[in-house]
């Protein structure tokens, strides 16, 4: 509590009168000073009493029209104040808008001494994504001589999501797949909640499993079977390296993938399936939450996904030097390259080796993973053909290749997650097609032990700013992407879906149809 300007004026007058009474020896003036001081003390006591009553009877509510919005959305927010006790105080009430929110005009209202209720509505803009909690309302009470400021009222939280791409395609080869990444069935019979079949009672069935209504109808014991309950442990692996920043404003690779991942996380919550998250930046793992119930993990994971931004690429690319009888070749392997199709890698490899034989193209095309490298090297053992002798030095460096792949961020993240999980999991990998070799090895690792894998893959050709300038070339690049996608999808327990802008994909598919091609 502190005096207002009028309060300070009255106090100064009392002090001046006291000084004059002493200087001029006028006791009557001193009495006047004492009366003014007593009057101020009485007002202070009354102010304190009225303030306590006002606080006890005051109700202030901040009410956003919606608690979930998108960036740059404008929503009305209403500030309502109700005072039940009558006092002489005037209350000035200021809304506790988050610092990231912007109101069209100052957001405050006044409750005069004779007014019991007031409300005011302002339009508020939310430019920053995330979860924003209102501050408590600031109430300034005054009776003209004294003033006090307190904070009261509700503090709602508004979730601001980044703008969604206008239309996201999720599918295979240009065909949209609906809800293929949603609910699941256990496929097993047991003690669940979904009825599957009705059968006659067999020796060994417990009495609890008997369906007494069916037994009464058939005059013989019947047992109703239920689908066994199954918790599919869902691990989300989200790549947000620099290449995922490609795309038009609000329609980048990362933003499109995020929309689909949020749906998957929501389905896991609805089905009460355990959920985990690992995010991968250019430098490695940026966030890790082990598998746990959605009650514990869903909200933190959702907040993390909404706040996810692309990281910055490393300045120095990784290099792999391969020594062989034909000379020494140094191949740059940038950690964040532009679109790199499997077919282009194969053609480059063939051009380096020349016409070593008709089978060289197929063998070198396969030799893009540690697993295939090991198998191809074994095939060369024990042979003395010129072609085998030429290629054997390439395969001798397979261990170095394996070590390089193991150091890649996405592979390392999945390796950690699968190791920590210690059991069957459904791994959802969200990335793009700019690192096919790393992705292939990552998928092979994720599906070990019979685990199911879903790959959400963003084709770079659908996101490049000038990707559709040459529509014919764009279609050819999409065909190369589709070949790679199908190659991954042919692996057991692996589903690969393309994620991209519907309008761009439609334009590319139409260009292919016009020239008689198909993806």
């Amino acid at each position: 509590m502190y005096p207002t300007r009028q309060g300070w004026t009255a106090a100064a007058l009392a002090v001046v009168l006291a000084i004059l009474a002493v200087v001029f020896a006028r006791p009557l003036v001193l009495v006047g000073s004492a009366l003014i001081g007593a009057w101020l003390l009485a007002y202070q006591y009354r102010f304190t009493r009225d303030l306590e009553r006002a606080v006890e009877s005051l109700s202030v509510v901040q009410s956003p029209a919606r608690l979930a919005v998108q960036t740059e959305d404008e929503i009305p927010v209403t500030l309502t104040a109700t005072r039940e006790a009558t006092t002489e105080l005037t209350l000035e009430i200021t809304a506790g808008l988050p610092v990231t929110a912007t109101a069209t005009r100052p957001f405050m209202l006044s409750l005069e001494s004779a007014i019991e209720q007031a409300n005011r509505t302002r339009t508020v803009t939310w430019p920053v994504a995330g979860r924003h909690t209102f501050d408590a309302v600031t109430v300034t009470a005054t009776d003209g001589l004294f003033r006090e400021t307190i904070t009261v009222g509700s503090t709602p939280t508004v979730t601001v999501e980044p703008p969604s791409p206008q239309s996201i395609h999720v599918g295979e080869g240009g065909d949209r797949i609906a809800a293929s990444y949603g609910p699941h069935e256990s496929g097993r019979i047991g003690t669940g909640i979904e009825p599957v079949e009705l059968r006659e009672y067999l020796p060994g069935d417990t009495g609890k499993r008997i369906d007494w209504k069916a037994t009464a109808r058939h005059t013989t014991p019947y047992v109703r079977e239920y689908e066994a309950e199954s918790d599919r442990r869902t691990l989300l692996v989200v790549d947000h390296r620099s290449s995922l920043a490609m795309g038009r404003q609000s329609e980048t690779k990362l933003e499109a993938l995020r929309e689909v991942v949020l749906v998957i996380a929501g389905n896991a919550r609805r089905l009460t399936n355990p959920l985990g998250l690992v995010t991968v930046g250019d430098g490695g793992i940026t966030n890790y939450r082990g598998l746990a119930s959605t009650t514990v993990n869903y909200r933190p994971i959702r907040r993390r996904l909404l706040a996810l931004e692309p990281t910055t690429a490393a300045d120095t690319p990784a290099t792999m030097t391969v020594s062989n009888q034909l000379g020494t070749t140094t191949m740059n392997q940038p950690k964040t390259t532009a679109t790199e199709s499997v077919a282009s890698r194969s053609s480059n490899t063939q051009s380096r080796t020349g016409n070593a034989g008709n089978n060289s193209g197929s063998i070198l095309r396969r030799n893009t993973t540690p697993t295939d490298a090991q198998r191809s090297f074994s095939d060369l053992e024990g042979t003395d053909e010129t072609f085998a002798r030429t290629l054997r030095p390439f395969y001798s460096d397979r261990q170095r290749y394996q070590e390089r792949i193991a150091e890649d961020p996405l592979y390392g993240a999945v390796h950690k997650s699968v190791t920590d999980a210690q059991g069957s999991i459904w791994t959802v990998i969200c990335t793009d097609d700019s690192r096919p070799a790393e992705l292939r090895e990552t998928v092979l690792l994720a599906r070990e032990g019979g685990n199911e894998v879903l790959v959400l893959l963003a084709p770079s050709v659908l996101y490049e700013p000038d990707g559709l300038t040459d529509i014919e070339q764009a279609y050819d690049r999409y065909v190369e992407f589709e070949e790679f996608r199908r190659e991954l999808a042919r692996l057991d327990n692996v589903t690969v879906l393309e994620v991209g802008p519907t309008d761009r994909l439609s334009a590319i598919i139409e260009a292919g149809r016009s020239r008689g091609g198909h993806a």
Side-chain angles (χ1 to χ4, degrees), residues 212-222:
W212 294 106
K213 291 183 178 180
T215 298
R217 289 197 306 269
H218 296 281
T219 67
T220 184
Y222 267 78

Side-chain angles (χ1 to χ4, degrees), residues 240-243 245 280-284 286 309-315 335-336 435:
H240 64 115
R241 287 175 283 184
S242 56
S243 63
V280 184
D282 288 278
T286 57
E309 296 290 341
T311 57
T312 303
D315 295 331
K335 287 188 177 287
T336 52
R435 309 165 188 84

Side-chain angles (χ1 to χ4, degrees), residues 50-68:
D50 287 351
L51 181 62
E52 291 177 354
R53 293 175 56 198
V55 171
E56 291 177 357
S57 65
L58 182 64
S59 173
V60 182
V61 179
Q62 302 177 99
S63 305
R66 300 198 311 272
L67 296 181

Side-chain angles (χ1 to χ4, degrees), residues 145-390:
L145 293 178
F146 296 95
R147 180 187 300 268
E148 181 64 281
T149 300
I150 59 174
T151 54
V152 297
S154 60
T155 56
T157 298
V158 174
T159 300
V160 183
E161 300 183 359
S164 303
Q166 293 299 316
S167 180
I168 302 175
H169 165 89
V170 181
E172 300 173 330
D175 296 327
R176 182 181 294 271
I177 303 296
S180 61
Y181 41 85
H184 68 285
E185 298 178 354
S186 67
R188 295 183 287 110
I189 303 298
T191 56
I193 59 174
E194 293 295 332
V196 177
E197 64 179 12
L198 189 68
R199 62 170 176 80
E200 290 189 17
Y201 176 86
L202 296 175
D205 290 334
T206 63
K208 293 181 179 180
R209 301 181 63 184
I210 296 177
D211 187 318
W212 294 106
K213 291 183 178 180
T215 298
R217 289 197 306 269
H218 296 281
T219 67
T220 184
Y222 267 78
V223 171
R224 188 173 296 278
E225 296 281 11
Y226 293 84
E227 182 179 9
E229 295 177 350
S230 172
D231 287 338
R232 179 165 65 177
R233 304 196 302 163
T234 303
L235 174 66
L236 306 176
V237 182
V238 182
D239 186 352
H240 64 115
R241 287 175 283 184
S242 56
S243 63
L244 275 295
M246 180 183 294
R248 296 174 292 190
Q249 185 177 5
S250 301
E251 295 185 6
T252 64
K253 295 179 183 178
L254 179 58
E255 288 167 323
L257 291 171
R258 171 166 44 210
E259 288 299 309
V260 183
V261 173
L262 287 171
V263 173
I264 295 175
N267 285 340
R269 183 192 190 189
R270 179 173 57 84
L271 297 168
T272 66
N273 289 337
L275 187 65
L277 171 70
V278 56
T279 59
V280 184
D282 288 278
I285 295 176
T286 57
N287 186 268
Y288 180 82
R289 290 191 71 90
L291 289 163
S293 68
T294 49
T295 304
V296 175
N297 265 0
Y298 175 73
R299 291 187 181 278
I301 285 177
R302 179 179 173 82
R303 287 197 296 268
R304 177 56 184 162
L305 289 174
L306 291 174
L308 210 57
E309 296 290 341
T311 57
T312 303
D315 295 331
T316 306
T319 59
M320 181 175 66
T321 304
V322 178
S323 302
N324 54 70
Q325 295 176 355
L326 303 178
T328 301
T329 303
T330 301
M331 296 177 288
N332 292 328
Q333 302 290 337
K335 287 188 177 287
T336 52
T337 62
T339 304
E340 180 181 12
S341 66
V342 177
S344 64
R345 282 191 170 197
S346 301
S347 61
N348 291 339
T349 306
Q350 291 181 28
S351 65
R352 286 197 301 269
T353 58
N355 298 324
N358 294 333
N359 296 329
S360 62
S362 61
I363 291 178
L364 288 177
R365 185 178 298 111
R366 290 173 55 219
N367 185 23
T368 51
T369 72
T371 303
D372 291 337
Q374 175 65 38
R375 183 169 58 252
S376 299
F377 182 74
S378 300
D379 293 342
L380 291 176
E381 292 294 338
T383 63
D384 194 32
E385 297 179 0
T386 302
F387 177 64
R389 289 198 305 270
T390 302

